[in-house]
Amino acid sequence: MDDPVITASELVQDRFPTARAAFLAGSVLTDRRTPTSDLDIVVLLDGPPAPSRESLMYRGWPVELFVQTEAVWHSYADQETAKRSSPLLSMCADGRLLVDADGLGASLQDEARKRLAAGPPPLSDSEREYQRFFLTDLLDDLRGCTDPAERVYLVSHMLQRASEFVLLVGGHWLGGGKWLSRRLAAADPGVHRALSEAAMQAIAGDTEDFAAVVTEVLDLAGGPLWDGYAVR
């Protein structure tokens, strides 16, 4: 296939000739690129068809378009920040600036980098207690699980929640799917490796190591919590 930067630039010119700014982001810009990697493109317009999102094929490339106005960009960034996971900020902070007609692109990239560096909102005490309780409850379920099929789903869910717990307690940004793995690997390689390896063993039937690693994760914020937990 054609060069991703050239292809993305030509797509933006073809589809959005009046774009104020455009970014190419994702694995295609890194050594993680695979044959199924797509072109993630953020486009800033003054109005319609922004805001919109579209998936399409362009010159053999799968493409995801995130088309926004400046106001919508800030709204999405604020909403995502509140959830402690902002793919939009990441795409603009780490992406390749393809178009910058009036300086908006450089301004948003600078803002995205600063906001990412500042980190997500810290956990409140009640949020931390709930996370401890929820993960403790899952740990108890795993210890009592005898159904192999249920164990697969339970371990998968626990791997996600334990990974998120480490990131939340450490003040790191969350991520979904493969990005959760990447965020945790960057934040704490040792815990990432321990959780991943133990989870595979647990799915196969040996849950002892996985339960131990999850307990160590809970110890990062006070240990397991069940007896006495209350919401008032």
Side-chain angles (χ1 to χ4, degrees), residues 77-101:
D78 288 344
Q79 293 174 36
E80 291 179 352
T81 296
K83 297 176 182 178
R84 302 183 178 91
S85 178
S86 185
L88 177 61
L89 290 179
S90 295
M91 285 191 289
C92 293
D94 302 329
R96 175 79 168 265
L97 187 55
L98 302 174
V99 175
D100 193 9

Side-chain angles (χ1 to χ4, degrees), residues 161-209:
R161 296 303 294 252
S163 299
E164 291 175 344
F165 187 79
V166 175
L167 293 172
L168 289 168
V169 170
H172 302 287
W173 291 94
L174 298 175
K178 64 185 180 183
W179 280 102
L180 179 58
S181 175
R182 292 177 185 180
R183 297 274 190 230
L184 183 58
D188 195 324
V191 171
H192 175 263
R193 182 173 56 255
L195 276 173
S196 301
E197 293 176 354
M200 288 187 281
Q201 295 175 6
I203 287 174
D206 181 2
T207 63
E208 184 175 348
D209 285 349

Side-chain angles (χ1 to χ4, degrees), residues 30-192:
T30 73
D31 57 7
R32 293 180 181 272
R33 175 178 167 181
T34 72
T36 61
S37 293
D38 57 8
L39 305 181
D40 295 320
I41 303 176
V42 179
V43 180
L44 277 296
L45 303 177
D46 274 330
S52 63
R53 178 171 176 173
E54 182 181 356
S55 298
L56 66 148
M57 295 297 298
Y58 184 84
R59 300 183 183 176
W61 282 96
V63 179
E64 283 196 81
L65 289 172
F66 305 86
V67 187
Q68 302 169 347
T69 64
E70 183 178 358
V72 169
W73 187 96
H74 281 97
S75 177
Y76 272 120
D78 288 344
Q79 293 174 36
E80 291 179 352
T81 296
K83 297 176 182 178
R84 302 183 178 91
S85 178
S86 185
L88 177 61
L89 290 179
S90 295
M91 285 191 289
C92 293
D94 302 329
R96 175 79 168 265
L97 187 55
L98 302 174
V99 175
D100 193 9
D102 57 9
L104 176 63
S107 175
L108 293 182
Q109 188 164 65
D110 182 62
E111 179 178 347
R113 288 171 176 171
K114 288 178 179 177
R115 292 178 66 159
L116 280 179
L123 282 179
S124 67
D125 290 343
S126 61
E127 287 176 318
R128 180 178 288 100
E129 296 300 276
Y130 173 73
Q131 293 292 334
R132 289 174 60 200
F133 166 78
F134 193 92
L135 194 52
T136 300
D137 197 41
L138 290 175
L139 188 58
D140 289 342
D141 285 344
L142 179 64
R143 287 171 172 147
C145 182
T146 58
D147 185 300
E150 289 182 0
R151 184 176 61 246
V152 172
Y153 285 90
L154 186 55
V155 171
S156 299
H157 188 47
M158 288 179 67
L159 177 61
Q160 175 185 340
R161 296 303 294 252
S163 299
E164 291 175 344
F165 187 79
V166 175
L167 293 172
L168 289 168
V169 170
H172 302 287
W173 291 94
L174 298 175
K178 64 185 180 183
W179 280 102
L180 179 58
S181 175
R182 292 177 185 180
R183 297 274 190 230
L184 183 58
D188 195 324
V191 171
H192 175 263

